[in-house]
Amino acid sequence: MKTAIVTGAASGIGLAIAKKFAENGYQVYGMSRRETGPSFENFTYISGDISNTADRERLVAAAGKVDVLVNSAGVAPKVRADLLDMTEESYDYCMDINTRGAFFLTQLVAKKMLENEEINGIRGYICSVSSISAYTSSVNRGEYCISKAGLSMVTQLFADRLAEYGIPVNEVRPGIIATDMTSKVQGKYDDLIAGGLLPISRWGQPEDIAAAVWTLCNGSLPYMTGQVINTDGGFHLRRL
Ligand SMILES: NC(=O)c1ccc[n+]([C@@H]2O[C@H](COP(=O)([O-])OP(=O)(O)OC[C@H]3O[C@@H](n4cnc5c(N)ncnc54)[C@H](OP(=O)(O)O)[C@@H]3O)[C@@H](O)[C@H]2O)c1
């Protein structure tokens, strides 16, 4: 049985990704900070914080062999504050989880994946869930934007470093997705979508992102690494 690690698996996008892999016969190990997580077949929930070294090690040890890593855990700033008022605490909070945590978990898993047997040129797949915020300025949550731009470079770096070992590293870049993270600002995004922000004029669903991650990691695209899949209803298009 193949094994997948999915961070942020307790809710939203991470949960949809965990379900997708579990339904397709993977044993999935999911981590979020809350004490109790979801329960379903082929899924093991581990409570922990990916910004914490010992918790990352515990997650990887529990999984044993790792065929797929999906970095989906992420946080928005606790308070949306203007760029001129952003605190160091809020900056560190976003960077520690969204960028540093994902980097060092990827590093740990990559070393483990190198022990995997190479089958048809592949030892494993790594995919990170970044955001349109990697390239879109939002001056009331700049720390989130910086952390996601950093995560995109984490993808590129590991894609470069691990290509020769048969480990493709790619990125899915969600747009506006209906989850706990966006529920607090639902009215704002309802209005923007109704006003024509997105070529595909609807909220994205966690399953839309899970489908993209699954396609990148299921073996159907082995000659692709360092790729960004915009899964955003066309938000990234420049329109006139
Ligand atoms: N929703 C959107 O519109 C959207 C758009 C672009 C990108 N994204 C990205 O998609 C990813 C998933 O977000 P979501 O929208 O599904 O929101 P969500 O439901 O809030 O999911 C985030 C998950 O990450 C977990 N998490 C947060 N910090 C963690 C940590 N330090 N260690 C382990 N787990 C942690 C959370 O659980 P705990 O709180 O229990 O730890 C939660 O399960 C995030 O990286 C987010 O930035 C979302």
Side-chain angles (χ1 to χ4, degrees), residues 7-14 31-34 45 48-51 72-75 97-98 129-132 144 148 174-182:
T7 68
S11 60
I13 292 169
M31 178 173 273
S32 285
R33 293 166 300 180
R34 69 197 67 180
Y45 180 73
D49 183 337
I50 62 145
S51 67
S72 185
V75 287
I97 296 172
N98 299 352
V129 176
S130 67
S131 170
I132 53 175
Y144 182 76
K148 290 296 185 177
I176 300 167
I177 314 298
T179 67
D180 292 349
M181 189 177 274
T182 44

Side-chain angles (χ1 to χ4, degrees), residues 176 186-203 239:
I176 300 167
Q186 189 189 335
K188 174 189 164 181
Y189 289 130
D190 280 345
D191 292 347
L192 286 169
I193 293 169
L197 179 73
L198 305 177
I200 300 176
S201 193
R202 67 162 173 87
W203 281 77
R239 293 190 290 165

